[in-house]
Amino acid sequence: MFTWQAQACGMTQRRAFHETRSLFEGDEAPVQPLPAGKLPSYIADHRKRLRARFLEGGAAAMPDYELLELVLFRSIPRRDVKPLAHALLAQFGDFNRVLSAPPERLAEVRGVGEAVITDLKIVEAAAHRMARARVLQRHVISSWDAILDYCHTTMAHRETEQFRVLFLDRKNVLIADEEQATGTVDHVPVYPREVAKRALELNASALILVHNHPSGDPSPSQADIDMTRQIQAAGDALGLTLHDHLIIGKSSELSFRAQGYL
């Protein structure tokens, strides 16, 4: 849900993600405490096999817990990390939610220290950077699937609402993507005047609003609908086109334009 101030103009959007698992259950290292000193051969061999399988088949060849183990190998070089991988997935649900979990929530899981949190956040940042590179300076219409992927990657698994604005030039090329506000689990403040001011600073001609629904349901509230119409009217007065408002849920997104709200 949005709150807003009747000022100059503004925007919002939402969407989500899903992962599949493959059947590779036979190569797990036994769950047991490790002795001090040299890493036991069964753990070293397990790590070697997982790395080889990843190099041969990529992420599609591995279930979530094994992909997470590969990340944890670097964070915790002297311990069997399979139990920790399972604990993280049990706590947060899937690989994407583990990466996007707030550091303070990650720290609540036994066995997670600064090294683990840092490495998980590095992987998350790399994923965001790569997804963003696929859409910036690209024509929005021809890159629409990439836009949706980017929004899902950056917003679908957040535990609080986030409001972003995608700024486009006269040729509908994405020139900037900026977070305007972060809120609570069901509310984010939106300031139309600030959105309009930033659009003018960037010499933008059009906007796409994006916000996420942490509940997972991308259905718009009446407040979302009212806010979008207020922003559209304000944009019209300033010569700014509102192309769409995307709401990002856990596994799907809703387009205001596709649903007839714009």
Side-chain angles (χ1 to χ4, degrees):
M1 177 185 298
F2 286 105
T3 60
W4 57 279
Q5 298 182 1
Q7 301 171 359
C9 112
M11 352 188 35
T12 51
Q13 314 186 340
R14 314 196 173 182
R15 156 182 178 204
F17 238 44
H18 179 65
E19 262 197 37
T20 59
R21 293 173 60 91
S22 52
L23 302 177
F24 290 95
E25 303 295 337
D27 188 33
E28 297 185 20
V31 179
Q32 55 183 280
L34 300 182
K38 185 178 179 180
L39 191 66
S41 60
Y42 70 87
I43 295 296
D45 291 345
H46 172 66
R47 292 187 173 201
K48 183 178 180 180
R49 286 192 296 269
L50 284 191
R51 291 187 176 112
R53 190 191 305 150
F54 178 78
L55 290 175
E56 292 170 4
M62 318 191 82
D64 279 2
Y65 75 91
E66 289 186 338
L67 193 61
L68 191 52
E69 279 190 78
L70 287 172
V71 178
L72 295 174
F73 287 168
R74 301 186 65 84
S75 313
I76 306 175
R78 307 303 309 163
R79 201 172 78 223
D80 179 7
V81 297
K82 183 168 66 67
L84 179 56
H86 281 295
L88 285 165
L89 291 170
Q91 178 70 24
F92 299 107
D94 61 27
F95 185 81
N96 293 320
R97 291 182 177 90
V98 171
L99 292 185
S100 59
E104 58 273 16
R105 290 284 313 283
L106 290 168
E108 294 173 0
V109 178
R110 184 176 181 181
V112 172
E114 183 178 347
V116 169
I117 293 173
T118 299
D119 285 350
L120 291 175
K121 289 300 148 185
I122 288 172
V123 175
E124 181 191 26
H128 290 184
R129 187 72 61 89
M130 291 177 67
R132 190 168 186 264
R134 294 180 60 209
V135 298
L136 274 180
Q137 303 302 322
R138 303 291 178 88
H139 190 273
V140 165
I141 303 303
S142 61
S143 305
W144 192 245
D145 286 344
I147 293 285
L148 294 179
D149 285 344
Y150 171 62
C151 292
H152 274 285
T153 299
T154 56
M155 302 176 74
H157 303 289
R158 293 177 61 93
E159 295 183 341
T160 57
E161 286 202 10
Q162 182 187 66
F163 172 69
R164 307 184 74 88
V165 181
L166 309 183
F167 298 94
L168 315 176
D169 66 12
R170 284 181 172 80
K171 296 182 179 180
N172 285 328
V173 171
L174 183 61
I175 57 176
D177 153 47
E178 296 183 355
E179 178 182 345
Q180 297 294 310
T182 299
T184 63
V185 294
D186 60 1
H187 154 263
V188 62
V190 178
Y191 303 99
R193 176 179 295 176
E194 294 303 316
V195 174
K197 177 183 176 182
R198 186 58 179 152
L200 295 174
E201 290 173 350
L202 293 169
N203 197 29
S205 296
L207 306 165
I208 297 174
L209 309 176
V210 187
H211 79 278
N212 63 308
H213 278 179
S215 68
D217 182 2
S219 302
S221 66
Q222 188 59 50
D224 292 337
I225 295 170
D226 293 342
M227 171 53 132
T228 303
R229 289 172 177 167
Q230 292 286 336
I231 290 174
Q232 184 178 31
D236 289 344
L238 294 172
L240 294 169
T241 300
L242 178 57
H243 280 317
D244 208 341
H245 171 182
L246 300 176
I247 299 180
I248 308 300
K250 292 292 186 189
S251 58
S252 63
E253 73 281 341
L254 181 138
S255 162
F256 269 51
R257 186 162 297 281
Q259 294 299 315
Y261 295 115
L262 287 175

